[in-house]
PDB file of all heavy atoms in Angstrom:
ATOM      1  N   LYS I 305     110.791  91.447 114.754  1.00 96.00           N
ATOM      2  CA  LYS I 305     111.249  90.383 115.655  1.00 96.00           C
ATOM      3  C   LYS I 305     110.714  90.608 117.066  1.00 96.00           C
ATOM      4  O   LYS I 305     110.213  89.686 117.709  1.00 96.00           O
ATOM      5  CB  LYS I 305     112.770  90.296 115.665  1.00 96.00           C
ATOM      6  CG  LYS I 305     113.317  89.164 116.528  1.00 96.00           C
ATOM      7  CD  LYS I 305     114.833  89.156 116.524  1.00 96.00           C
ATOM      8  CE  LYS I 305     115.439  88.078 117.366  1.00 96.00           C
ATOM      9  NZ  LYS I 305     114.753  87.654 118.547  1.00 96.00           N
ATOM     10  N   ASP I 306     110.807  91.850 117.545  1.00 96.00           N
ATOM     11  CA  ASP I 306     110.313  92.172 118.891  1.00 96.00           C
ATOM     12  C   ASP I 306     108.810  91.895 119.017  1.00 96.00           C
ATOM     13  O   ASP I 306     108.354  91.355 120.025  1.00 96.00           O
ATOM     14  CB  ASP I 306     110.598  93.635 119.244  1.00 96.00           C
ATOM     15  CG  ASP I 306     112.084  93.917 119.430  1.00 96.00           C
ATOM     16  OD1 ASP I 306     112.879  92.959 119.548  1.00 96.00           O
ATOM     17  OD2 ASP I 306     112.452  95.114 119.443  1.00 96.00           O
ATOM     18  N   ILE I 307     108.050  92.263 118.001  1.00 96.00           N
ATOM     19  CA  ILE I 307     106.598  92.030 118.023  1.00 96.00           C
ATOM     20  C   ILE I 307     106.311  90.537 118.097  1.00 96.00           C
ATOM     21  O   ILE I 307     105.483  90.091 118.890  1.00 96.00           O
ATOM     22  CB  ILE I 307     105.923  92.673 116.789  1.00 96.00           C
ATOM     23  CG1 ILE I 307     105.961  94.199 116.901  1.00 96.00           C
ATOM     24  CG2 ILE I 307     104.472  92.176 116.640  1.00 96.00           C
ATOM     25  CD1 ILE I 307     105.562  94.935 115.628  1.00 96.00           C
ATOM     26  N   ASN I 308     106.990  89.754 117.283  1.00 95.00           N
ATOM     27  CA  ASN I 308     106.741  88.313 117.249  1.00 95.00           C
ATOM     28  C   ASN I 308     107.264  87.585 118.483  1.00 95.00           C
ATOM     29  O   ASN I 308     106.753  86.515 118.822  1.00 95.00           O
ATOM     30  CB  ASN I 308     107.309  87.694 115.966  1.00 95.00           C
ATOM     31  CG  ASN I 308     106.413  87.970 114.779  1.00 95.00           C
ATOM     32  OD1 ASN I 308     105.195  88.050 114.910  1.00 95.00           O
ATOM     33  ND2 ASN I 308     107.014  88.134 113.621  1.00 95.00           N
ATOM     34  N   ASP I 309     108.254  88.143 119.147  1.00 96.00           N
ATOM     35  CA  ASP I 309     108.795  87.512 120.364  1.00 96.00           C
ATOM     36  C   ASP I 309     107.934  87.772 121.594  1.00 96.00           C
ATOM     37  O   ASP I 309     108.042  87.059 122.587  1.00 96.00           O
ATOM     38  CB  ASP I 309     110.228  87.990 120.633  1.00 96.00           C
ATOM     39  CG  ASP I 309     111.239  87.398 119.657  1.00 96.00           C
ATOM     40  OD1 ASP I 309     110.886  86.440 118.937  1.00 96.00           O
ATOM     41  OD2 ASP I 309     112.378  87.907 119.608  1.00 96.00           O
ATOM     42  N   ASP I 310     107.084  88.795 121.542  1.00 95.00           N
ATOM     43  CA  ASP I 310     106.248  89.166 122.678  1.00 95.00           C
ATOM     44  C   ASP I 310     105.011  88.256 122.728  1.00 95.00           C
ATOM     45  O   ASP I 310     104.314  88.105 121.730  1.00 95.00           O
ATOM     46  CB  ASP I 310     105.817  90.626 122.543  1.00 95.00           C
ATOM     47  CG  ASP I 310     105.183  91.187 123.800  1.00 95.00           C
ATOM     48  OD1 ASP I 310     104.709  90.399 124.644  1.00 95.00           O
ATOM     49  OD2 ASP I 310     105.151  92.422 123.926  1.00 95.00           O
ATOM     50  N   ASN I 311     104.751  87.667 123.877  1.00 92.00           N
ATOM     51  CA  ASN I 311     103.594  86.775 124.044  1.00 92.00           C
ATOM     52  C   ASN I 311     102.526  87.350 124.967  1.00 92.00           C
ATOM     53  O   ASN I 311     101.653  86.627 125.425  1.00 92.00           O
ATOM     54  CB  ASN I 311     104.054  85.411 124.582  1.00 92.00           C
ATOM     55  CG  ASN I 311     104.918  84.683 123.587  1.00 92.00           C
ATOM     56  OD1 ASN I 311     104.645  84.696 122.396  1.00 92.00           O
ATOM     57  ND2 ASN I 311     105.982  84.058 124.070  1.00 92.00           N
ATOM     58  N   SER I 312     102.595  88.635 125.241  1.00 94.00           N
ATOM     59  CA  SER I 312     101.680  89.216 126.231  1.00 94.00           C
ATOM     60  C   SER I 312     100.575  90.068 125.603  1.00 94.00           C
ATOM     61  O   SER I 312     100.062  90.985 126.242  1.00 94.00           O
ATOM     62  CB  SER I 312     102.481  90.051 127.226  1.00 94.00           C
ATOM     63  OG  SER I 312     103.088  91.151 126.563  1.00 94.00           O
ATOM     64  N   TYR I 313     100.196  89.778 124.388  1.00 94.00           N
ATOM     65  CA  TYR I 313      99.191  90.582 123.701  1.00 94.00           C
ATOM     66  C   TYR I 313      97.775  90.228 124.113  1.00 94.00           C
ATOM     67  O   TYR I 313      97.473  89.094 124.463  1.00 94.00           O
ATOM     68  CB  TYR I 313      99.299  90.410 122.181  1.00 94.00           C
ATOM     69  CG  TYR I 313     100.579  90.938 121.612  1.00 94.00           C
ATOM     70  CD1 TYR I 313     101.519  90.082 121.065  1.00 94.00           C
ATOM     71  CD2 TYR I 313     100.856  92.298 121.614  1.00 94.00           C
ATOM     72  CE1 TYR I 313     102.704  90.570 120.542  1.00 94.00           C
ATOM     73  CE2 TYR I 313     102.024  92.792 121.090  1.00 94.00           C
ATOM     74  CZ  TYR I 313     102.952  91.924 120.560  1.00 94.00           C
ATOM     75  OH  TYR I 313     104.114  92.412 120.050  1.00 94.00           O
ATOM     76  N   THR I 314      96.907  91.201 124.006  1.00 93.00           N
ATOM     77  CA  THR I 314      95.473  90.972 124.089  1.00 93.00           C
ATOM     78  C   THR I 314      95.015  90.716 122.655  1.00 93.00           C
ATOM     79  O   THR I 314      95.303  91.518 121.762  1.00 93.00           O
ATOM     80  CB  THR I 314      94.741  92.219 124.647  1.00 93.00           C
ATOM     81  OG1 THR I 314      95.280  92.524 125.931  1.00 93.00           O
ATOM     82  CG2 THR I 314      93.257  91.999 124.714  1.00 93.00           C
ATOM     83  N   LYS I 315      94.326  89.580 122.437  1.00 94.00           N
ATOM     84  CA  LYS I 315      93.906  89.216 121.085  1.00 94.00           C
ATOM     85  C   LYS I 315      92.420  89.493 120.888  1.00 94.00           C
ATOM     86  O   LYS I 315      91.615  89.246 121.780  1.00 94.00           O
ATOM     87  CB  LYS I 315      94.147  87.729 120.813  1.00 94.00           C
ATOM     88  CG  LYS I 315      95.586  87.372 120.613  1.00 94.00           C
ATOM     89  CD  LYS I 315      95.753  86.071 119.859  1.00 94.00           C
ATOM     90  CE  LYS I 315      95.759  84.875 120.767  1.00 94.00           C
ATOM     91  NZ  LYS I 315      96.132  83.638 120.058  1.00 94.00           N
ATOM     92  N   VAL I 316      92.096  89.988 119.704  1.00 93.00           N
ATOM     93  CA  VAL I 316      90.711  90.190 119.291  1.00 93.00           C
ATOM     94  C   VAL I 316      90.575  89.504 117.936  1.00 93.00           C
ATOM     95  O   VAL I 316      91.357  89.764 117.024  1.00 93.00           O
ATOM     96  CB  VAL I 316      90.366  91.690 119.166  1.00 93.00           C
ATOM     97  CG1 VAL I 316      88.961  91.875 118.632  1.00 93.00           C
ATOM     98  CG2 VAL I 316      90.546  92.391 120.498  1.00 93.00           C
ATOM     99  N   ALA I 317      89.568  88.605 117.817  1.00 92.00           N
ATOM    100  CA  ALA I 317      89.418  87.837 116.578  1.00 92.00           C
ATOM    101  C   ALA I 317      88.033  88.024 115.973  1.00 92.00           C
ATOM    102  O   ALA I 317      87.025  88.085 116.680  1.00 92.00           O
ATOM    103  CB  ALA I 317      89.673  86.361 116.849  1.00 92.00           C
ATOM    104  N   LEU I 318      88.015  88.122 114.647  1.00 90.00           N
ATOM    105  CA  LEU I 318      86.785  88.161 113.866  1.00 90.00           C
ATOM    106  C   LEU I 318      86.786  86.950 112.935  1.00 90.00           C
ATOM    107  O   LEU I 318      87.835  86.554 112.431  1.00 90.00           O
ATOM    108  CB  LEU I 318      86.707  89.438 113.029  1.00 90.00           C
ATOM    109  CG  LEU I 318      86.784  90.763 113.774  1.00 90.00           C
ATOM    110  CD1 LEU I 318      86.871  91.918 112.791  1.00 90.00           C
ATOM    111  CD2 LEU I 318      85.584  90.936 114.680  1.00 90.00           C
ATOM    112  N   GLU I 319      85.613  86.382 112.727  1.00 91.00           N
ATOM    113  CA  GLU I 319      85.499  85.205 111.871  1.00 91.00           C
ATOM    114  C   GLU I 319      84.596  85.506 110.677  1.00 91.00           C
ATOM    115  O   GLU I 319      83.570  86.184 110.817  1.00 91.00           O
ATOM    116  CB  GLU I 319      84.906  84.020 112.650  1.00 91.00           C
ATOM    117  CG  GLU I 319      85.737  83.591 113.844  1.00 91.00           C
ATOM    118  CD  GLU I 319      87.063  82.965 113.474  1.00 91.00           C
ATOM    119  OE1 GLU I 319      87.126  82.261 112.449  1.00 91.00           O
ATOM    120  OE2 GLU I 319      88.042  83.184 114.212  1.00 91.00           O
ATOM    121  N   ASN I 320      84.962  84.975 109.532  1.00 87.00           N
ATOM    122  CA  ASN I 320      84.150  84.968 108.316  1.00 87.00           C
ATOM    123  C   ASN I 320      83.456  86.290 108.016  1.00 87.00           C
ATOM    124  O   ASN I 320      84.115  87.284 107.767  1.00 87.00           O
ATOM    125  CB  ASN I 320      83.161  83.803 108.373  1.00 87.00           C
ATOM    126  CG  ASN I 320      83.891  82.482 108.511  1.00 87.00           C
ATOM    127  OD1 ASN I 320      84.921  82.274 107.892  1.00 87.00           O
ATOM    128  ND2 ASN I 320      83.366  81.586 109.336  1.00 87.00           N
ATOM    129  N   GLU I 321      82.112  86.306 108.052  1.00 83.00           N
ATOM    130  CA  GLU I 321      81.353  87.498 107.654  1.00 83.00           C
ATOM    131  C   GLU I 321      81.533  88.686 108.587  1.00 83.00           C
ATOM    132  O   GLU I 321      81.106  89.788 108.273  1.00 83.00           O
ATOM    133  CB  GLU I 321      79.850  87.185 107.546  1.00 83.00           C
ATOM    134  CG  GLU I 321      79.489  86.307 106.378  1.00 83.00           C
ATOM    135  CD  GLU I 321      79.429  84.829 106.773  1.00 83.00           C
ATOM    136  OE1 GLU I 321      79.782  84.481 107.925  1.00 83.00           O
ATOM    137  OE2 GLU I 321      79.049  84.023 105.925  1.00 83.00           O
ATOM    138  N   GLU I 322      82.156  88.482 109.739  1.00 84.00           N
ATOM    139  CA  GLU I 322      82.404  89.617 110.627  1.00 84.00           C
ATOM    140  C   GLU I 322      83.378  90.609 109.989  1.00 84.00           C
ATOM    141  O   GLU I 322      83.390  91.780 110.356  1.00 84.00           O
ATOM    142  CB  GLU I 322      82.976  89.148 111.966  1.00 84.00           C
ATOM    143  CG  GLU I 322      81.990  88.430 112.855  1.00 84.00           C
ATOM    144  CD  GLU I 322      82.618  88.029 114.175  1.00 84.00           C
ATOM    145  OE1 GLU I 322      83.532  87.169 114.172  1.00 84.00           O
ATOM    146  OE2 GLU I 322      82.191  88.580 115.216  1.00 84.00           O
ATOM    147  N   PHE I 323      84.185  90.133 109.030  1.00 82.00           N
ATOM    148  CA  PHE I 323      85.121  91.054 108.379  1.00 82.00           C
ATOM    149  C   PHE I 323      85.153  90.907 106.856  1.00 82.00           C
ATOM    150  O   PHE I 323      85.633  91.785 106.158  1.00 82.00           O
ATOM    151  CB  PHE I 323      86.544  90.904 108.947  1.00 82.00           C
ATOM    152  CG  PHE I 323      87.298  89.706 108.427  1.00 82.00           C
ATOM    153  CD1 PHE I 323      88.216  89.835 107.399  1.00 82.00           C
ATOM    154  CD2 PHE I 323      87.096  88.448 108.979  1.00 82.00           C
ATOM    155  CE1 PHE I 323      88.914  88.730 106.931  1.00 82.00           C
ATOM    156  CE2 PHE I 323      87.786  87.346 108.520  1.00 82.00           C
ATOM    157  CZ  PHE I 323      88.700  87.487 107.489  1.00 82.00           C
TER     158      PHE I 323
END
Side-chain angles (χ1 to χ4, degrees):
K305 183 182 179 328
D306 291 346
I307 290 169
N308 282 327
D309 287 347
D310 192 339
N311 294 319
S312 64
Y313 295 113
T314 302
K315 286 201 272 189
V316 176
L318 302 173
E319 300 292 325
N320 301 320
E321 290 94 354
E322 289 181 294
F323 78 99

